[in-house]
mmCIF file of all heavy atoms in Angstrom:
data_model
loop_
_atom_site.group_PDB
_atom_site.id
_atom_site.type_symbol
_atom_site.label_atom_id
_atom_site.label_comp_id
_atom_site.label_asym_id
_atom_site.label_seq_id
_atom_site.Cartn_x
_atom_site.Cartn_y
_atom_site.Cartn_z
ATOM 1 N N THR A 1 0.843 -1.186 0.000
ATOM 2 C CA THR A 1 0.000 0.000 0.000
ATOM 3 C C THR A 1 0.885 1.244 0.000
ATOM 4 O O THR A 1 2.068 1.179 0.337
ATOM 5 C CB THR A 1 -0.938 0.036 1.218
ATOM 6 O OG1 THR A 1 -0.149 0.039 2.422
ATOM 7 C CG2 THR A 1 -1.857 -1.183 1.229
ATOM 8 N N ASP A 2 0.303 2.360 -0.376
ATOM 9 C CA ASP A 2 1.062 3.606 -0.457
ATOM 10 C C ASP A 2 1.273 4.172 0.947
ATOM 11 O O ASP A 2 0.313 4.504 1.642
ATOM 12 C CB ASP A 2 0.299 4.613 -1.316
ATOM 13 C CG ASP A 2 1.058 5.915 -1.504
ATOM 14 O OD1 ASP A 2 2.259 5.970 -1.177
ATOM 15 O OD2 ASP A 2 0.432 6.883 -1.984
ATOM 16 N N ALA A 3 2.529 4.268 1.370
ATOM 17 C CA ALA A 3 2.850 4.815 2.690
ATOM 18 C C ALA A 3 3.209 6.298 2.616
ATOM 19 O O ALA A 3 3.609 6.898 3.611
ATOM 20 C CB ALA A 3 4.019 4.039 3.307
ATOM 21 N N ARG A 4 3.079 6.884 1.425
ATOM 22 C CA ARG A 4 3.476 8.270 1.181
ATOM 23 C C ARG A 4 4.994 8.405 1.378
ATOM 24 O O ARG A 4 5.676 7.418 1.612
ATOM 25 C CB ARG A 4 2.681 9.234 2.058
ATOM 26 C CG ARG A 4 1.154 9.086 1.889
ATOM 27 C CD ARG A 4 0.409 9.969 2.864
ATOM 28 N NE ARG A 4 -1.025 9.679 2.832
ATOM 29 C CZ ARG A 4 -1.899 10.201 3.685
ATOM 30 N NH1 ARG A 4 -1.491 11.028 4.634
ATOM 31 N NH2 ARG A 4 -3.182 9.901 3.591
ATOM 32 N N ARG A 5 5.505 9.616 1.261
ATOM 33 C CA ARG A 5 6.947 9.863 1.408
ATOM 34 C C ARG A 5 7.777 8.957 0.493
ATOM 35 O O ARG A 5 8.900 8.585 0.823
ATOM 36 C CB ARG A 5 7.407 9.668 2.854
ATOM 37 C CG ARG A 5 6.655 10.479 3.876
ATOM 38 C CD ARG A 5 7.244 10.237 5.236
ATOM 39 N NE ARG A 5 6.349 10.679 6.292
ATOM 40 C CZ ARG A 5 6.554 10.461 7.578
ATOM 41 N NH1 ARG A 5 7.630 9.775 7.973
ATOM 42 N NH2 ARG A 5 5.714 10.890 8.487
ATOM 43 N N LYS A 6 7.203 8.554 -0.626
ATOM 44 C CA LYS A 6 7.872 7.677 -1.588
ATOM 45 C C LYS A 6 8.257 6.338 -0.963
ATOM 46 O O LYS A 6 9.304 5.757 -1.273
ATOM 47 C CB LYS A 6 9.102 8.368 -2.178
ATOM 48 C CG LYS A 6 8.756 9.638 -2.943
ATOM 49 C CD LYS A 6 9.987 10.279 -3.540
ATOM 50 C CE LYS A 6 9.603 11.545 -4.310
ATOM 51 N NZ LYS A 6 10.797 12.210 -4.893
ATOM 52 N N GLU A 7 7.366 5.827 -0.083
ATOM 53 C CA GLU A 7 7.555 4.526 0.561
ATOM 54 C C GLU A 7 6.284 3.694 0.425
ATOM 55 O O GLU A 7 5.214 4.213 0.089
ATOM 56 C CB GLU A 7 7.920 4.695 2.039
ATOM 57 C CG GLU A 7 9.272 5.358 2.275
ATOM 58 C CD GLU A 7 9.596 5.524 3.752
ATOM 59 O OE1 GLU A 7 8.649 5.692 4.554
ATOM 60 O OE2 GLU A 7 10.781 5.492 4.099
ATOM 61 N N VAL A 8 6.414 2.396 0.733
ATOM 62 C CA VAL A 8 5.253 1.505 0.740
ATOM 63 C C VAL A 8 5.229 0.707 2.041
ATOM 64 O O VAL A 8 6.275 0.412 2.624
ATOM 65 C CB VAL A 8 5.266 0.514 -0.450
ATOM 66 C CG1 VAL A 8 5.082 1.258 -1.761
ATOM 67 C CG2 VAL A 8 6.544 -0.321 -0.482
ATOM 68 N N TYR A 9 4.020 0.376 2.478
ATOM 69 C CA TYR A 9 3.829 -0.640 3.510
ATOM 70 C C TYR A 9 3.641 -1.950 2.755
ATOM 71 O O TYR A 9 2.868 -2.009 1.788
ATOM 72 C CB TYR A 9 2.581 -0.353 4.339
ATOM 73 C CG TYR A 9 2.628 0.916 5.141
ATOM 74 C CD1 TYR A 9 1.684 1.923 4.927
ATOM 75 C CD2 TYR A 9 3.587 1.110 6.131
ATOM 76 C CE1 TYR A 9 1.705 3.084 5.676
ATOM 77 C CE2 TYR A 9 3.611 2.280 6.881
ATOM 78 C CZ TYR A 9 2.677 3.263 6.654
ATOM 79 O OH TYR A 9 2.698 4.424 7.391
ATOM 80 N N TRP A 10 4.314 -3.008 3.191
ATOM 81 C CA TRP A 10 4.212 -4.242 2.422
ATOM 82 C C TRP A 10 4.458 -5.470 3.276
ATOM 83 O O TRP A 10 4.979 -5.388 4.390
ATOM 84 C CB TRP A 10 5.205 -4.213 1.251
ATOM 85 C CG TRP A 10 6.635 -4.389 1.663
ATOM 86 C CD1 TRP A 10 7.417 -3.501 2.346
ATOM 87 C CD2 TRP A 10 7.452 -5.547 1.444
ATOM 88 N NE1 TRP A 10 8.670 -4.025 2.563
ATOM 89 C CE2 TRP A 10 8.727 -5.270 2.009
ATOM 90 C CE3 TRP A 10 7.238 -6.769 0.809
ATOM 91 C CZ2 TRP A 10 9.773 -6.202 1.967
ATOM 92 C CZ3 TRP A 10 8.279 -7.685 0.773
ATOM 93 C CH2 TRP A 10 9.527 -7.388 1.333
ATOM 94 N N ALA A 11 4.077 -6.631 2.731
ATOM 95 C CA ALA A 11 4.335 -7.918 3.372
ATOM 96 C C ALA A 11 4.231 -9.015 2.324
ATOM 97 O O ALA A 11 3.590 -8.847 1.281
ATOM 98 C CB ALA A 11 3.356 -8.189 4.510
ATOM 99 N N ARG A 12 4.866 -10.150 2.617
ATOM 100 C CA ARG A 12 4.820 -11.323 1.729
ATOM 101 C C ARG A 12 3.750 -12.301 2.221
ATOM 102 O O ARG A 12 3.547 -12.466 3.432
ATOM 103 C CB ARG A 12 6.166 -12.047 1.719
ATOM 104 C CG ARG A 12 7.243 -11.379 0.894
ATOM 105 C CD ARG A 12 8.495 -12.265 0.875
ATOM 106 N NE ARG A 12 9.513 -11.738 -0.007
ATOM 107 C CZ ARG A 12 9.563 -11.966 -1.302
ATOM 108 N NH1 ARG A 12 8.642 -12.735 -1.873
ATOM 109 N NH2 ARG A 12 10.524 -11.443 -2.039
ATOM 110 N N TYR A 13 3.132 -13.009 1.262
ATOM 111 C CA TYR A 13 2.094 -13.994 1.573
ATOM 112 C C TYR A 13 2.349 -15.295 0.819
ATOM 113 O O TYR A 13 2.825 -15.278 -0.325
ATOM 114 C CB TYR A 13 0.712 -13.447 1.190
ATOM 115 C CG TYR A 13 0.275 -12.315 2.093
ATOM 116 C CD1 TYR A 13 0.762 -11.030 1.899
ATOM 117 C CD2 TYR A 13 -0.583 -12.542 3.156
ATOM 118 C CE1 TYR A 13 0.399 -9.993 2.746
ATOM 119 C CE2 TYR A 13 -0.962 -11.510 3.999
ATOM 120 C CZ TYR A 13 -0.460 -10.247 3.795
ATOM 121 O OH TYR A 13 -0.813 -9.225 4.647
ATOM 122 N N ALA A 14 2.013 -16.412 1.456
ATOM 123 C CA ALA A 14 2.087 -17.711 0.787
ATOM 124 C C ALA A 14 0.844 -17.931 -0.059
ATOM 125 O O ALA A 14 0.885 -18.578 -1.109
ATOM 126 C CB ALA A 14 2.227 -18.830 1.810
ATOM 127 N N ASP A 15 -0.279 -17.407 0.423
ATOM 128 C CA ASP A 15 -1.557 -17.452 -0.284
ATOM 129 C C ASP A 15 -2.433 -16.358 0.324
ATOM 130 O O ASP A 15 -1.968 -15.593 1.176
ATOM 131 C CB ASP A 15 -2.218 -18.836 -0.176
ATOM 132 C CG ASP A 15 -2.357 -19.308 1.262
ATOM 133 O OD1 ASP A 15 -2.830 -18.521 2.114
ATOM 134 O OD2 ASP A 15 -1.979 -20.462 1.548
ATOM 135 N N ALA A 16 -3.683 -16.294 -0.083
ATOM 136 C CA ALA A 16 -4.544 -15.188 0.335
ATOM 137 C C ALA A 16 -4.786 -15.126 1.838
ATOM 138 O O ALA A 16 -5.179 -14.078 2.360
ATOM 139 C CB ALA A 16 -5.886 -15.280 -0.395
ATOM 140 N N ARG A 17 -4.537 -16.216 2.534
ATOM 141 C CA ARG A 17 -4.832 -16.246 3.968
ATOM 142 C C ARG A 17 -3.577 -16.335 4.846
ATOM 143 O O ARG A 17 -3.663 -16.192 6.062
ATOM 144 C CB ARG A 17 -5.743 -17.449 4.271
ATOM 145 C CG ARG A 17 -6.475 -17.363 5.600
ATOM 146 C CD ARG A 17 -7.295 -18.621 5.842
ATOM 147 N NE ARG A 17 -8.054 -18.556 7.074
ATOM 148 C CZ ARG A 17 -7.551 -18.748 8.278
ATOM 149 N NH1 ARG A 17 -6.250 -18.995 8.426
ATOM 150 N NH2 ARG A 17 -8.329 -18.699 9.345
ATOM 151 N N THR A 18 -2.413 -16.573 4.253
ATOM 152 C CA THR A 18 -1.221 -16.886 5.042
ATOM 153 C C THR A 18 -0.124 -15.849 4.819
ATOM 154 O O THR A 18 0.523 -15.843 3.768
ATOM 155 C CB THR A 18 -0.680 -18.283 4.685
ATOM 156 O OG1 THR A 18 -1.742 -19.235 4.737
ATOM 157 C CG2 THR A 18 0.425 -18.685 5.652
ATOM 158 N N ARG A 19 0.110 -15.004 5.814
ATOM 159 C CA ARG A 19 1.184 -14.016 5.729
ATOM 160 C C ARG A 19 2.480 -14.645 6.196
ATOM 161 O O ARG A 19 2.537 -15.318 7.223
ATOM 162 C CB ARG A 19 0.843 -12.785 6.578
ATOM 163 C CG ARG A 19 1.942 -11.736 6.582
ATOM 164 C CD ARG A 19 1.412 -10.341 6.903
ATOM 165 N NE ARG A 19 0.446 -10.307 7.970
ATOM 166 C CZ ARG A 19 0.747 -10.219 9.268
ATOM 167 N NH1 ARG A 19 2.017 -10.186 9.647
ATOM 168 N NH2 ARG A 19 -0.206 -10.164 10.177
ATOM 169 N N LEU A 20 3.563 -14.386 5.448
ATOM 170 C CA LEU A 20 4.863 -14.975 5.746
ATOM 171 C C LEU A 20 5.794 -14.037 6.511
ATOM 172 O O LEU A 20 6.700 -14.503 7.203
ATOM 173 C CB LEU A 20 5.555 -15.395 4.440
ATOM 174 C CG LEU A 20 4.854 -16.470 3.616
ATOM 175 C CD1 LEU A 20 5.586 -16.673 2.303
ATOM 176 C CD2 LEU A 20 4.775 -17.782 4.395
ATOM 177 N N THR A 21 5.607 -12.724 6.356
ATOM 178 C CA THR A 21 6.506 -11.756 6.980
ATOM 179 C C THR A 21 5.710 -10.708 7.754
ATOM 180 O O THR A 21 4.525 -10.495 7.499
ATOM 181 C CB THR A 21 7.361 -11.032 5.918
ATOM 182 O OG1 THR A 21 6.502 -10.268 5.050
ATOM 183 C CG2 THR A 21 8.173 -12.014 5.103
ATOM 184 N N GLU A 22 6.391 -10.068 8.676
ATOM 185 C CA GLU A 22 5.761 -8.965 9.392
ATOM 186 C C GLU A 22 5.633 -7.768 8.454
ATOM 187 O O GLU A 22 6.475 -7.565 7.572
ATOM 188 C CB GLU A 22 6.596 -8.566 10.612
ATOM 189 C CG GLU A 22 6.603 -9.605 11.719
ATOM 190 C CD GLU A 22 5.210 -9.872 12.271
ATOM 191 O OE1 GLU A 22 4.466 -8.897 12.503
ATOM 192 O OE2 GLU A 22 4.864 -11.057 12.433
ATOM 193 N N PRO A 23 4.590 -6.964 8.611
ATOM 194 C CA PRO A 23 4.474 -5.762 7.787
ATOM 195 C C PRO A 23 5.693 -4.861 7.970
ATOM 196 O O PRO A 23 6.250 -4.767 9.067
ATOM 197 C CB PRO A 23 3.207 -5.086 8.322
ATOM 198 C CG PRO A 23 2.429 -6.193 8.950
ATOM 199 C CD PRO A 23 3.445 -7.122 9.525
ATOM 200 N N ALA A 24 6.103 -4.210 6.889
ATOM 201 C CA ALA A 24 7.277 -3.344 6.915
ATOM 202 C C ALA A 24 7.006 -2.096 6.095
ATOM 203 O O ALA A 24 6.077 -2.056 5.279
ATOM 204 C CB ALA A 24 8.497 -4.085 6.380
ATOM 205 N N VAL A 25 7.821 -1.072 6.306
ATOM 206 C CA VAL A 25 7.757 0.133 5.480
ATOM 207 C C VAL A 25 9.133 0.357 4.866
ATOM 208 O O VAL A 25 10.143 0.337 5.572
ATOM 209 C CB VAL A 25 7.295 1.362 6.298
ATOM 210 C CG1 VAL A 25 8.210 1.640 7.483
ATOM 211 C CG2 VAL A 25 7.176 2.592 5.411
ATOM 212 N N ASP A 26 9.182 0.506 3.541
ATOM 213 C CA ASP A 26 10.454 0.633 2.835
ATOM 214 C C ASP A 26 10.273 1.477 1.580
ATOM 215 O O ASP A 26 9.151 1.645 1.073
ATOM 216 C CB ASP A 26 10.977 -0.749 2.408
ATOM 217 C CG ASP A 26 11.478 -1.573 3.587
ATOM 218 O OD1 ASP A 26 12.510 -1.206 4.154
ATOM 219 O OD2 ASP A 26 10.819 -2.583 3.909
ATOM 220 N N ARG A 27 11.398 1.962 1.071
ATOM 221 C CA ARG A 27 11.403 2.600 -0.237
ATOM 222 C C ARG A 27 11.336 1.509 -1.306
ATOM 223 O O ARG A 27 12.046 0.506 -1.212
ATOM 224 C CB ARG A 27 12.655 3.447 -0.422
ATOM 225 C CG ARG A 27 12.686 4.688 0.462
ATOM 226 C CD ARG A 27 13.889 5.553 0.157
ATOM 227 N NE ARG A 27 13.874 6.763 0.956
ATOM 228 C CZ ARG A 27 13.209 7.866 0.637
ATOM 229 N NH1 ARG A 27 12.526 7.904 -0.511
ATOM 230 N NH2 ARG A 27 13.232 8.928 1.408
ATOM 231 N N PRO A 28 10.495 1.689 -2.311
ATOM 232 C CA PRO A 28 10.375 0.650 -3.342
ATOM 233 C C PRO A 28 11.696 0.233 -3.955
ATOM 234 O O PRO A 28 11.918 -0.959 -4.205
ATOM 235 C CB PRO A 28 9.452 1.308 -4.370
ATOM 236 C CG PRO A 28 8.634 2.265 -3.576
ATOM 237 C CD PRO A 28 9.549 2.799 -2.519
ATOM 238 N N ALA A 29 12.583 1.182 -4.201
ATOM 239 C CA ALA A 29 13.859 0.841 -4.837
ATOM 240 C C ALA A 29 14.660 -0.150 -4.014
ATOM 241 O O ALA A 29 15.405 -0.963 -4.560
ATOM 242 C CB ALA A 29 14.679 2.113 -5.069
ATOM 243 N N ASP A 30 14.483 -0.106 -2.686
ATOM 244 C CA ASP A 30 15.217 -1.021 -1.813
ATOM 245 C C ASP A 30 14.658 -2.443 -1.863
ATOM 246 O O ASP A 30 15.278 -3.369 -1.342
ATOM 247 C CB ASP A 30 15.186 -0.517 -0.371
ATOM 248 C CG ASP A 30 15.908 0.819 -0.213
ATOM 249 O OD1 ASP A 30 16.766 1.137 -1.059
ATOM 250 O OD2 ASP A 30 15.601 1.556 0.752
ATOM 251 N N LEU A 31 13.479 -2.594 -2.471
ATOM 252 C CA LEU A 31 12.821 -3.903 -2.530
ATOM 253 C C LEU A 31 12.937 -4.566 -3.892
ATOM 254 O O LEU A 31 12.458 -5.685 -4.075
ATOM 255 C CB LEU A 31 11.327 -3.749 -2.201
ATOM 256 C CG LEU A 31 10.969 -3.078 -0.884
ATOM 257 C CD1 LEU A 31 9.466 -2.889 -0.797
ATOM 258 C CD2 LEU A 31 11.468 -3.903 0.281
ATOM 259 N N ALA A 32 13.554 -3.876 -4.844
ATOM 260 C CA ALA A 32 13.513 -4.324 -6.232
ATOM 261 C C ALA A 32 13.940 -5.783 -6.398
ATOM 262 O O ALA A 32 13.278 -6.557 -7.110
ATOM 263 C CB ALA A 32 14.385 -3.418 -7.097
ATOM 264 N N ASP A 33 15.014 -6.178 -5.756
ATOM 265 C CA ASP A 33 15.507 -7.544 -5.916
ATOM 266 C C ASP A 33 14.561 -8.566 -5.299
ATOM 267 O O ASP A 33 14.521 -9.725 -5.730
ATOM 268 C CB ASP A 33 16.890 -7.687 -5.273
ATOM 269 C CG ASP A 33 17.968 -6.911 -6.021
ATOM 270 O OD1 ASP A 33 17.723 -6.567 -7.192
ATOM 271 O OD2 ASP A 33 19.025 -6.648 -5.428
ATOM 272 N N GLN A 34 13.782 -8.153 -4.296
ATOM 273 C CA GLN A 34 12.895 -9.081 -3.591
ATOM 274 C C GLN A 34 11.544 -9.252 -4.274
ATOM 275 O O GLN A 34 10.922 -10.310 -4.145
ATOM 276 C CB GLN A 34 12.652 -8.598 -2.154
ATOM 277 C CG GLN A 34 13.902 -8.447 -1.314
ATOM 278 C CD GLN A 34 13.571 -7.952 0.081
ATOM 279 O OE1 GLN A 34 12.822 -8.587 0.822
ATOM 280 N NE2 GLN A 34 14.111 -6.798 0.448
ATOM 281 N N VAL A 35 11.068 -8.217 -4.969
ATOM 282 C CA VAL A 35 9.695 -8.253 -5.476
ATOM 283 C C VAL A 35 9.582 -8.276 -6.997
ATOM 284 O O VAL A 35 8.480 -8.441 -7.518
ATOM 285 C CB VAL A 35 8.884 -7.057 -4.929
ATOM 286 C CG1 VAL A 35 8.891 -7.058 -3.404
ATOM 287 C CG2 VAL A 35 9.416 -5.731 -5.471
ATOM 288 N N ALA A 36 10.675 -8.108 -7.705
ATOM 289 C CA ALA A 36 10.619 -8.092 -9.170
ATOM 290 C C ALA A 36 10.018 -9.393 -9.706
ATOM 291 O O ALA A 36 10.483 -10.483 -9.378
ATOM 292 C CB ALA A 36 12.016 -7.878 -9.761
ATOM 293 N N GLY A 37 8.957 -9.279 -10.472
ATOM 294 C CA GLY A 37 8.320 -10.440 -11.079
ATOM 295 C C GLY A 37 7.389 -11.203 -10.168
ATOM 296 O O GLY A 37 6.672 -12.095 -10.627
ATOM 297 N N VAL A 38 7.383 -10.874 -8.866
ATOM 298 C CA VAL A 38 6.508 -11.566 -7.917
ATOM 299 C C VAL A 38 5.095 -10.985 -8.039
ATOM 300 O O VAL A 38 4.938 -9.765 -8.083
ATOM 301 C CB VAL A 38 7.019 -11.394 -6.470
ATOM 302 C CG1 VAL A 38 6.079 -12.067 -5.482
ATOM 303 C CG2 VAL A 38 8.426 -11.941 -6.336
ATOM 304 N N PRO A 39 4.062 -11.813 -8.104
ATOM 305 C CA PRO A 39 2.705 -11.270 -8.135
ATOM 306 C C PRO A 39 2.494 -10.296 -6.983
ATOM 307 O O PRO A 39 2.944 -10.554 -5.861
ATOM 308 C CB PRO A 39 1.824 -12.517 -7.988
ATOM 309 C CG PRO A 39 2.651 -13.618 -8.554
ATOM 310 C CD PRO A 39 4.064 -13.289 -8.172
ATOM 311 N N ALA A 40 1.828 -9.169 -7.261
ATOM 312 C CA ALA A 40 1.649 -8.136 -6.249
ATOM 313 C C ALA A 40 0.296 -7.469 -6.422
ATOM 314 O O ALA A 40 -0.199 -7.320 -7.549
ATOM 315 C CB ALA A 40 2.769 -7.097 -6.340
ATOM 316 N N VAL A 41 -0.300 -7.069 -5.303
ATOM 317 C CA VAL A 41 -1.563 -6.332 -5.337
ATOM 318 C C VAL A 41 -1.469 -5.146 -4.390
ATOM 319 O O VAL A 41 -0.622 -5.102 -3.500
ATOM 320 C CB VAL A 41 -2.762 -7.226 -4.931
ATOM 321 C CG1 VAL A 41 -2.936 -8.383 -5.892
ATOM 322 C CG2 VAL A 41 -2.609 -7.734 -3.497
ATOM 323 N N GLY A 42 -2.364 -4.185 -4.587
ATOM 324 C CA GLY A 42 -2.423 -3.025 -3.710
ATOM 325 C C GLY A 42 -1.993 -1.746 -4.407
ATOM 326 O O GLY A 42 -1.280 -1.769 -5.418
ATOM 327 N N ALA A 43 -2.434 -0.614 -3.849
ATOM 328 C CA ALA A 43 -2.151 0.686 -4.451
ATOM 329 C C ALA A 43 -0.661 0.971 -4.527
ATOM 330 O O ALA A 43 -0.198 1.644 -5.463
ATOM 331 C CB ALA A 43 -2.856 1.781 -3.656
ATOM 332 N N GLY A 44 0.112 0.494 -3.558
ATOM 333 C CA GLY A 44 1.557 0.714 -3.581
ATOM 334 C C GLY A 44 2.224 0.009 -4.742
ATOM 335 O O GLY A 44 3.124 0.555 -5.395
ATOM 336 N N ALA A 45 1.768 -1.204 -5.018
ATOM 337 C CA ALA A 45 2.327 -1.960 -6.143
ATOM 338 C C ALA A 45 1.958 -1.307 -7.474
ATOM 339 O O ALA A 45 2.769 -1.254 -8.402
ATOM 340 C CB ALA A 45 1.832 -3.403 -6.102
ATOM 341 N N LEU A 46 0.746 -0.789 -7.566
ATOM 342 C CA LEU A 46 0.319 -0.103 -8.787
ATOM 343 C C LEU A 46 1.088 1.198 -8.985
ATOM 344 O O LEU A 46 1.460 1.552 -10.106
ATOM 345 C CB LEU A 46 -1.183 0.189 -8.718
ATOM 346 C CG LEU A 46 -2.106 -1.019 -8.880
ATOM 347 C CD1 LEU A 46 -3.515 -0.665 -8.437
ATOM 348 C CD2 LEU A 46 -2.105 -1.493 -10.326
ATOM 349 N N LEU A 47 1.344 1.909 -7.895
ATOM 350 C CA LEU A 47 2.035 3.188 -7.971
ATOM 351 C C LEU A 47 3.487 3.026 -8.398
ATOM 352 O O LEU A 47 4.026 3.851 -9.142
ATOM 353 C CB LEU A 47 1.958 3.891 -6.610
ATOM 354 C CG LEU A 47 2.555 5.282 -6.495
ATOM 355 C CD1 LEU A 47 1.857 6.252 -7.448
ATOM 356 C CD2 LEU A 47 2.439 5.780 -5.053
ATOM 357 N N TYR A 48 4.108 1.941 -7.939
ATOM 358 C CA TYR A 48 5.525 1.699 -8.248
ATOM 359 C C TYR A 48 5.670 0.435 -9.093
ATOM 360 O O TYR A 48 6.395 -0.496 -8.746
ATOM 361 C CB TYR A 48 6.323 1.590 -6.951
ATOM 362 C CG TYR A 48 6.270 2.846 -6.122
ATOM 363 C CD1 TYR A 48 5.450 2.938 -4.995
ATOM 364 C CD2 TYR A 48 7.033 3.961 -6.466
ATOM 365 C CE1 TYR A 48 5.393 4.099 -4.243
ATOM 366 C CE2 TYR A 48 6.980 5.135 -5.713
ATOM 367 C CZ TYR A 48 6.160 5.196 -4.603
ATOM 368 O OH TYR A 48 6.096 6.353 -3.854
#
């Protein structure tokens, strides 16, 4: 989701009901290697 300040709130999921990581706030550029090509949903993913 959009965290403003050019950051996102985000987390990883195994499926729609199972979260794998604690929610975090980061700059999208710092996540590029982790999320590139991974299915993503939410306003933050659409924005970046």
Side-chain angles (χ1 to χ4, degrees):
T1 60
D2 183 12
R4 304 175 188 172
R5 305 182 196 173
K6 298 181 180 179
E7 294 179 329
V8 293
Y9 296 120
W10 73 290
R12 283 185 174 275
Y13 290 80
D15 53 48
R17 198 183 182 282
T18 310
R19 178 156 42 86
L20 297 174
T21 64
E22 291 299 316
V25 58
D26 288 291
R27 291 185 177 276
D30 296 337
L31 305 174
D33 291 342
Q34 301 179 59
V35 303
V38 178
V41 298
L46 287 165
L47 183 61
Y48 299 103

